[in-house]
Amino acid sequence: MGKYSDSPLWSDIVPIAQDDGGPNPLAAIAYTETYSEAMSYLRAVMAKNEYSERVLELTEDVIGMNAANYTVWLYRAKTLFTLSTPLRTEIAWLNTIALAHQKNYQIWHHRQLILTHLDDPAGETEFTMQMFEHDAKNYHVWSYRQWLVRHFGLWETELRDVEVLLGRDVRNNSAWNHRWFVVFGREDVVGEGESKGKGVGEEVVEREIGVAKEAIRLAPQNQSPWSYLRGVLRRVGRGLGSERAFAEEFADLGRPDEVRSSHALDYLADMYAEEGGEARREEAKKALDLLAEKYDPIRRNYWEYRKSLLGGGEANTSASA
């Protein structure tokens, strides 16, 4: 007895059972009977290249039991396109599935296929923001969001949502990464949405430096804005020394007991190494000693290794550069 074997709708289909390697398989997968039956009917309709409403219902049933089955997602997409099914209906259904399966990749690949055919991103940024309310660092959603921006050229409005997310959690490294993509990734895009060569003006550079510094002041021990600051300076060809005074607000080697951020010490060590010369290398060693002995001793071996790179000649101690 089964959902499909007892249904008149499926009486014309001869199910194809899973072949695990003969009558005595070494390691057969322990599927439930319900899932095994549904998959046997899916194999049968795929073998016939059938694309129909009942196939859509079958794929929905299989996805409900196993949303990570990439084969059923691909066949569902082909069925939708063959039947010219209204794709906004599919998006509405996908919303419920995505909310129920937060870490599923296949859902987002399928959504990308649907949006490519729709050629209209209406509602997509709003839905991804809804997803971020559940998990603001969901890798699959962020990857999809980047695709949306590239594919539909949403560069001009994207920072608004990034700032909302950073306002909720200034430590959201995923949002910092996306901010970089939006501000500096546009000029690297080739073949989608915008063309390479837009460039980033001085006003934008100063704005981004200011954003990073403001975030550091809110949470000095948050590594993300320190990394962002370094990245901006490197992108525009400025040395770390251009923000020395700012870094020393949080770590002054003359006041070793008053360090407010280990990341500031790391920044200063790289800055001194970047400037070169024996005196500067000694300053870099002082910063690294403070990290090894007092402010980040759990990574003592790492900081000692960084010191070893300062031995002589020109060296850049940063492993995070």
Side-chain angles (χ1 to χ4, degrees):
M1 304 290 285
K3 177 178 180 179
Y4 294 95
S5 60
D6 292 341
S7 171
L9 180 65
W10 293 94
S11 60
D12 61 312
I13 297 296
V14 178
I16 300 175
Q18 169 100 355
D19 182 1
D20 284 322
N24 299 298
L26 180 64
I29 300 174
Y31 294 122
T32 65
E33 289 186 9
T34 303
Y35 183 76
S36 292
E37 184 196 33
M39 283 301 298
S40 68
Y41 277 81
L42 180 65
R43 292 186 199 95
V45 295
M46 290 176 67
K48 292 176 57 181
N49 291 317
E50 177 182 332
Y51 305 104
S52 62
E53 290 296 333
R54 71 175 181 177
V55 167
L56 285 180
E57 293 176 5
L58 174 59
T59 59
E60 182 175 345
D61 191 24
V62 173
I63 288 167
M65 291 183 278
N66 179 13
N69 187 327
Y70 62 87
T71 301
V72 70
W73 281 111
L74 290 172
Y75 201 72
R76 180 177 180 85
K78 193 169 184 180
T79 303
L80 288 167
F81 301 145
T82 301
L83 297 178
S84 298
T85 303
L87 297 180
R88 285 293 170 194
T89 302
E90 182 72 359
I91 290 295
W93 174 74
L94 271 178
N95 290 351
T96 63
I97 300 299
L99 288 166
H101 302 277
Q102 296 279 320
K103 296 295 186 180
N104 180 284
Y105 165 75
Q106 288 81 8
I107 291 170
W108 297 96
H109 180 262
H110 181 75
R111 195 179 190 102
Q112 185 173 320
L113 289 176
I114 300 303
L115 261 291
T116 300
H117 278 73
L118 272 174
D119 198 28
D120 178 4
E124 290 304 286
T125 57
E126 292 82 359
F127 180 68
T128 54
M129 287 296 281
Q130 184 180 351
M131 291 292 297
F132 289 141
E133 289 177 7
H134 296 271
D135 180 2
K137 299 181 182 182
N138 188 316
Y139 173 79
H140 304 307
V141 183
W142 279 114
S143 296
Y144 177 75
R145 184 87 180 215
Q146 284 200 6
W147 174 81
L148 277 177
V149 173
R150 289 196 311 271
H151 189 79
F152 292 104
L154 305 179
W155 306 96
E156 300 299 335
T157 59
E158 188 67 2
L159 272 184
R160 177 191 59 205
D161 285 348
V162 174
E163 288 172 353
V164 168
L165 290 163
L166 287 175
R168 292 176 186 169
D169 179 10
V170 74
R171 295 173 176 81
N172 186 338
N173 56 298
S174 298
W176 280 106
N177 181 72
H178 194 67
R179 185 180 189 101
W180 178 272
F181 166 75
V182 173
V183 176
F184 297 102
R186 183 175 187 171
E187 60 184 303
D188 297 329
V189 172
V190 177
E192 286 188 272
E194 299 288 337
S195 61
K196 193 170 183 177
K198 283 284 183 182
V200 176
E202 190 69 17
E203 182 179 343
V204 172
V205 170
E206 293 302 327
R207 181 195 70 196
E208 294 306 298
I209 290 173
V211 166
K213 289 163 72 171
E214 181 182 356
I216 289 169
R217 288 192 172 103
L218 283 173
Q221 198 52 23
N222 175 17
Q223 187 174 9
S224 292
W226 283 104
S227 296
Y228 193 85
L229 177 61
R230 286 170 175 262
V232 175
L233 296 176
R234 185 181 303 112
R235 181 76 174 206
V236 299
R238 296 188 194 177
L240 296 177
S242 63
E243 293 297 335
R244 173 178 178 165
F246 174 74
E248 287 180 340
E249 292 180 27
F250 306 92
D252 186 338
L253 297 186
R255 300 195 301 273
D257 294 328
E258 300 176 20
V259 171
R260 296 167 55 203
S261 172
S262 63
H263 305 302
L265 281 173
D266 187 11
Y267 183 100
L268 290 174
D270 280 344
M271 182 193 76
Y272 289 129
E274 181 180 88
E275 291 174 353
E278 185 60 31
R280 290 308 192 195
R281 281 198 295 273
E282 289 305 312
E283 293 294 289
K285 289 177 182 179
K286 288 179 184 178
L288 293 170
D289 282 339
L290 282 171
L291 285 163
E293 295 167 11
K294 185 168 185 177
Y295 292 102
D296 192 11
I298 197 168
R299 294 199 295 166
R300 183 187 186 96
N301 289 343
Y302 169 67
W303 301 120
E304 292 292 345
Y305 168 71
R306 289 271 297 277
K307 264 183 66 176
S308 74
L309 299 180
L310 292 168
E314 293 185 5
N316 184 339
T317 68
S318 178
S320 59

